[in-house]
Amino acid sequence: MSFQTPPRLLDLAGQSLLRDEALAVTALECLPTELFPPLFMQAFFGRHRESLKAMVCAWPFDCLPLGGLMQRPQHRTLQAVFDGLDILLAQKVRPSRWRLRVLDLRNTGQNFWSRWSGARTQAHSQTRPVAAGSSGPQQPLAPLEVFIDLCFSNRIQHHFFTYIIWWAKQREGSLHLCCKTLKIFAVSAKNIKSLSLVQLDCIQEVEVNCPWSLSTLGMFAPYLGQMTNVRRLSLSHIHVPASKEEERGEELHIDQFTSQFLWLQRLQKLHLQSPAFLAGHLDRMLRCLQTCLETLSITNCLLMELDLIHLSLCPNLRQLKDLDLSGVCLTEFSPEPLRVLLQEVTATLQGLDLVYCGITDSHVEAIMPVLSCCHQLRALSMSGNRLSLATMEKLLRHTAGLRSLSLKLYPTPLESYNADGALELGRLAQVRDELTGILRDLGRSRTIQLSTSPCPHCGKLVFCDVEPILFFCDNPA
């Protein structure tokens, strides 16, 4: 037998009031402030559009965090909110009780709604109420701030966000549309022009993960250049030219993209996944950088050795905190450019990711002395490379003094595999014992994580994390 929690009297009163929307609208004039949020939620989820429109006009808080209630695009309900805002925006002065200054369409504000819905929460909303019945002089209507995170991932969302942008553009001067995060997962070349309606200098984070051609990237580039306050840029899966006709414009499109970095004067974090189009052209982007990056991630692509040399010589990479080159094959390259690059960032480097880089013992031995000087290093990942047990021992000893280094991901040493390249569990057990002994000799508690390829259980050529190697020192130095 199950028992359901009975509805609160407040909820029942709201349901009764909303059955007669004309009565509900009239009652707003004397409705206590604390009853607005629960009644608004009932009107929103019940799609009482006339009540919603009136409640927006009478909203007694400085912020309406509407995004916290929207799990998916709701055009008709949002239209009712916009209709209420239009009534407010048409007024030259606003009564002192009606203090709405911010419409927040981001996925925030859940704590505000939980607080008023009766759910248990320890968080406090920053949305401030205006005391019911307060009086004072009427004040000029300041521009309304509308906050939104744009995420174009399908046709429905594209139309939804395009409508919001268009609505805001029609009311330019009366409101300010501020977008700090832009994510593009599905936007065609012809739809990129909708970005012209966005105030691009508000954007601080950009993520583009689309199977774009270089020509489409070239169309996007001028908009990127207007995002002068962007701090984080992530770009993935741009296709290289597939035909000779496309190749003719390749140089132009690359220049269109790389030249925009001249305007990104607050860029701190740059993530480029599979940027095959930059192979042999990386210097174009690097010489356009205007800021010292904190994070640089160039992954899963084939670069040229000259690209790596340009990385090592770039003055805007000398304050890096995180460097990720995973999936960039360095096997045939001299280890010297990587050593020089790490030498430049020993004072600041906190994370180094060289997973699946094809690095060998000679590469690791070249960079070990530099790594031992990276005293801020917290995470080191070298999984997926072919290293011997002897090199692993040297690496452990060189990094033994790095007290901030807590995440250590290493490949299982070559001695764990037979002549055919198959992992043998007996050999793996012996290697683990030897590594445990090395950790014991170093005399400080630590944990290292090994990963194997292929998997010893199913044989697939994927990583399979084995049990971490732990050593606890009773009397640390």
Side-chain angles (χ1 to χ4, degrees):
M1 183 175 182
S2 62
F3 297 91
Q4 293 184 348
T5 303
R8 300 180 301 164
L9 291 177
L10 179 63
D11 297 330
L12 293 174
Q15 294 172 10
S16 177
L17 185 61
L18 289 172
R19 290 193 187 102
D20 187 340
E21 289 207 77
L23 177 62
V25 171
T26 303
L28 293 180
E29 297 182 4
C30 56
L31 190 70
T33 298
E34 59 271 16
L35 298 186
F36 265 82
L39 186 62
F40 186 94
M41 283 186 282
Q42 286 185 301
F44 183 85
F45 292 118
R47 300 182 181 180
H48 299 282
R49 287 186 284 273
E50 290 302 317
S51 297
L52 276 178
K53 182 169 65 174
M55 292 189 74
V56 170
C57 292
W59 192 248
F61 300 86
D62 60 358
C63 176
L64 175 55
L66 188 64
L69 298 179
M70 298 172 62
Q71 301 301 317
R72 60 182 183 274
Q74 301 181 42
H75 290 79
R76 298 185 67 184
T77 306
L78 186 64
Q79 182 61 60
V81 174
F82 284 174
D83 290 343
L85 291 175
D86 282 335
I87 294 174
L88 276 180
L89 295 174
Q91 301 180 25
K92 295 183 179 180
V93 292
R94 179 187 299 165
S96 58
R97 179 183 176 180
W98 298 353
R99 295 290 298 276
L100 182 61
R101 300 185 182 93
V102 175
L103 173 64
D104 195 341
L105 298 175
R106 299 171 297 182
N107 187 25
T108 59
Q110 287 84 354
N111 289 331
F112 172 81
W113 299 111
S114 297
R115 173 186 174 190
W116 295 102
S117 67
R120 295 181 180 179
T121 178
Q122 298 297 322
H124 297 283
S125 172
Q126 294 182 353
T127 303
R128 299 182 299 275
V130 179
S134 63
S135 60
Q138 293 182 333
Q139 300 178 359
L141 186 63
L144 180 73
E145 297 281 348
V146 180
F147 290 96
I148 187 172
D149 287 338
L150 296 176
C151 180
F152 300 103
S153 61
N154 53 49
R155 180 177 297 180
I156 293 177
Q157 284 195 321
H158 183 271
H159 290 322
F160 177 70
F161 287 122
T162 301
Y163 169 72
I164 293 176
I165 295 170
W166 174 86
W167 174 83
K169 193 69 174 179
Q170 300 302 309
R171 290 146 185 84
E172 194 170 17
S174 298
L175 59 81
H176 173 220
L177 181 65
C178 183
C179 168
K180 293 187 177 181
T181 301
L182 171 65
K183 296 182 179 181
I184 301 177
F185 299 140
V187 171
S188 63
K190 66 178 182 179
N191 290 330
I192 288 178
K193 293 182 179 180
S194 63
L195 292 176
S196 62
L197 301 175
V198 181
Q199 190 162 339
L200 297 173
D201 60 356
C202 283
I203 296 175
Q204 297 181 8
E205 294 190 14
V206 178
E207 180 178 355
V208 178
N209 188 345
C210 286
W212 279 354
S213 65
L214 270 180
S215 60
T216 305
L217 181 64
M219 293 180 60
F220 173 73
Y223 299 105
L224 175 64
Q226 298 177 56
M227 302 176 194
T228 53
N229 286 304
V230 68
R231 289 166 169 78
R232 181 182 183 275
L233 172 61
S234 178
L235 188 69
S236 305
H237 301 111
I238 303 301
H239 289 178
V240 296
S243 64
K244 291 184 177 181
E245 182 177 350
E246 290 178 342
E247 287 178 0
R248 296 190 189 100
E250 178 182 0
E251 297 289 323
L252 173 62
H253 300 319
I254 292 176
D255 280 338
Q256 286 176 326
F257 171 69
T258 57
S259 63
Q260 303 308 315
F261 285 83
L262 289 168
W263 310 105
L264 308 184
Q265 300 189 10
R266 295 196 176 186
L267 186 64
Q268 297 174 343
K269 300 180 180 181
L270 178 59
H271 301 263
L272 301 173
Q273 182 178 358
S274 306
F277 66 96
L278 283 179
H281 305 295
L282 191 58
D283 60 313
R284 300 190 194 182
M285 183 190 73
L286 295 176
R287 64 172 175 254
C288 291
L289 285 177
Q290 298 296 301
T291 57
C292 290
L293 296 182
E294 294 182 358
T295 299
L296 176 63
S297 174
I298 302 178
T299 61
N300 301 318
C301 66
L302 292 174
L303 294 181
M304 297 182 179
E305 187 167 8
L306 187 60
D307 294 319
L308 199 62
I309 293 174
H310 287 308
L311 283 175
S312 68
L313 298 177
C314 179
N316 294 94
L317 302 183
R318 292 175 182 173
Q319 296 181 24
L320 279 179
K321 293 182 179 180
D322 293 285
L323 175 63
D324 185 358
L325 297 176
S326 59
V328 176
C329 185
L330 306 177
T331 306
E332 303 299 327
F333 297 169
S334 164
E336 184 62 14
L338 180 59
R339 188 199 67 79
V340 172
L341 176 58
L342 295 178
Q343 179 70 51
E344 295 292 341
V345 298
T346 52
T348 58
L349 192 64
Q350 297 179 8
L352 177 61
D353 195 332
L354 298 174
V355 171
Y356 265 137
C357 285
I359 58 177
T360 59
D361 289 348
S362 61
H363 290 88
V364 175
E365 291 191 13
I367 66 174
M368 278 192 293
V370 178
L371 285 178
S372 66
C373 299
C374 297
H375 294 286
Q376 302 298 319
L377 194 63
R378 299 176 182 176
L380 175 61
S381 302
M382 291 191 175
S383 300
N385 297 296
R386 295 175 59 81
L387 303 181
S388 67
L389 180 59
T391 298
M392 285 277 293
E393 178 178 359
K394 292 178 184 178
L395 181 59
L396 290 172
R397 294 191 183 279
H398 272 82
T399 58
L402 305 182
R403 297 189 176 272
S404 298
L405 185 58
S406 57
L407 178 61
K408 299 172 282 292
L409 302 177
Y410 301 124
T412 297
L414 294 174
E415 287 80 359
S416 303
Y417 301 88
N418 62 24
D420 296 325
L423 182 71
E424 293 192 358
L425 297 183
R427 292 188 180 188
L428 176 60
Q430 293 177 2
V431 167
R432 288 175 59 85
D433 289 341
E434 292 192 48
L435 290 173
T436 302
I438 294 171
L439 296 179
R440 185 181 300 109
D441 291 342
L442 294 175
R444 198 160 64 84
S445 299
R446 65 192 66 228
T447 302
I448 64 173
Q449 181 79 49
L450 300 182
S451 58
T452 62
S453 182
C455 174
H457 302 291
C458 63
K460 292 183 179 179
L461 295 175
V462 295
F463 281 122
C464 176
D465 291 330
V466 296
E467 185 178 353
I469 299 175
L470 311 173
F471 175 72
F472 297 99
C473 182
D474 296 331
N475 298 303

